[in-house]
Amino acid sequence: MNATAKPSVKKRKRPASQYLFPLAAAYAALILPWSSLALLMGIPAPVGLYSAFGHAHEMLIGYAMLVVAGYLLGPIAAPKVWLLIAVWLLARLGFLCFPGSPLAWSGALAVAGLTAAWTVPRFARSAKKWRNKTTAPLLLILCTLLAFAAQPTWQGQKILVELLLGLALLMFFMGGRIIAPAVAGHLLRQQRTLQARVQPNIEGAVLIILFMVLALYPLPSVFSEQFAGVLVLLCGVLTALRLLRWQLWHCRDRADLLLLGAGYAWLALGLCLLGCALLFKPALLSAGVHALTVGALGTLTLTVMARTQLLQRYRDPNARPLSHLAGVLINCAAVLRVIPALLGQQSNIWLLGATLLWSLSFLLLLVVFWQSRGARQVSA
């Protein structure tokens, strides 16, 4: 053995969330309101934001998929995460300034490829139960849709609804895996027992049904769309039942759990409204989409980002009450966005109010990140 050989130094890995969550929050606070103001008031904006498709694209792909990557990648070497950020910025530049160009779809393809390569094998190897094994194929589907959505021939309502359904499935699964153990632990400290935790029968049924919907919805048939509507409506009812069985009314002293529950309630409502829209009342489509995006996606992602940061830094998800205010504001934004759509009375005042509250909530989240930056990181 060579006595002069230096021991290998293992590269330190840090959670991907520490890099990607602040970037996602900043993007949500700036780009999505900018898109809304461009559509409502015609203010100058990149060409990719001057359409409802561009607004939805950046909500689901520019913002949501970045949060998904930050949450699921786990500890990662710095060069890898900087590479992902670089190709994500390239994809954003391509879509915003040159939509439909080779730069846009090649950037989207690179983001999808890296995200899939670094997340899918991890979940495929670690999963034991069949319900857990669904995470890997779902991530593969989401990354495939991410790559296709930037191509001009695929732009349209169906691919974005398909992506939204995939994200709804992910929110249903991951939300349950976060909420159930956290509520059970909190109730145990109150000397209560939560019998209904993961609820495998409901979870398995919704996973199977939503995967069926992902296969049915793109088919060019009115019957397939209506059948998909029945299935989505059923998923909404089962999601609401699962939420009720967690007994969150016993968690009034845990704002983080109440906010997660609110996000899950928006998920149930959004699935019910989307199912009704596909089945018999297309006018409900906007209400269902915004209940799922602003309500469920906004509330769940914001709360998960705040909890992750505070647990890493303080081991206390409620260490910074400012995060609770951010959660309340985003729920108010969802109310202002969904109620006019339900009533069929779209008002620019309501839409501007929702835009302002959305932006303010993510700015507050950035303040929480900044305030906690100097806290000692708790080792896992």
Side-chain angles (χ1 to χ4, degrees), residues 49-270:
L49 295 181
Y50 279 109
S51 68
F53 175 85
H55 178 78
H57 185 281
E58 290 310 286
M59 163 74 87
L60 300 178
I61 294 177
Y63 166 69
M65 288 301 294
L66 190 63
V67 178
V68 169
Y71 186 75
L72 297 181
L73 280 172
I76 189 172
K80 281 188 173 182
V81 78
W82 287 119
L83 175 60
L84 181 61
I85 289 173
V87 296
W88 178 85
L89 289 172
L90 180 69
R92 304 282 59 76
L93 174 65
F95 181 83
L96 293 174
C97 300
F98 311 101
S101 68
L103 177 63
W105 60 257
S106 61
L109 187 61
V111 173
L114 290 177
T115 304
W118 294 339
T119 57
V120 173
R122 178 181 171 213
F123 283 91
R125 287 192 304 265
S126 62
K128 299 294 188 291
K129 297 179 180 179
W130 74 265
R131 300 189 314 276
N132 298 336
K133 289 181 181 292
T134 60
T135 307
L138 175 59
L139 289 172
L140 195 57
I141 290 171
L142 289 174
C143 290
T144 303
L145 292 170
L146 187 160
F148 279 131
Q151 300 190 40
T153 54
W154 286 79
Q155 292 183 9
Q157 174 184 304
K158 284 215 166 186
I159 194 166
L160 289 180
V161 172
E162 187 86 346
L163 184 59
L164 180 57
L165 288 168
L167 286 169
L169 200 162
L170 189 63
M171 287 189 284
F172 171 84
F173 180 77
M174 299 304 298
R177 295 313 173 92
I178 295 170
I179 298 172
V183 172
H186 185 62
L187 294 189
L188 188 61
R189 287 188 285 274
Q190 298 178 352
Q191 299 184 339
R192 301 176 188 270
T193 301
L194 181 65
Q195 299 296 337
R197 297 192 180 189
V198 173
Q199 305 174 51
N201 291 334
I202 290 180
E203 182 178 82
V206 173
L207 290 176
I208 291 171
I209 293 171
L210 281 180
F211 270 111
M212 289 174 59
V213 173
L214 287 172
L216 281 172
Y217 180 71
L219 298 178
S221 164
V222 175
F223 171 76
S224 64
E225 185 169 304
Q226 290 179 337
F227 186 45
V230 173
L231 296 179
V232 172
L233 179 58
L234 176 60
C235 288
V237 173
L238 290 175
T239 301
L241 176 61
R242 191 188 199 196
L243 175 61
L244 285 173
R245 296 182 71 196
W246 282 329
Q247 304 176 31
L248 279 162
W249 51 85
H250 294 307
C251 302
R252 292 187 296 273
D253 57 336
R254 284 288 302 274
D256 63 315
L257 298 182
L258 293 178
L259 286 170
L260 287 172
Y264 219 73
W266 281 112
L267 177 62
L269 176 62

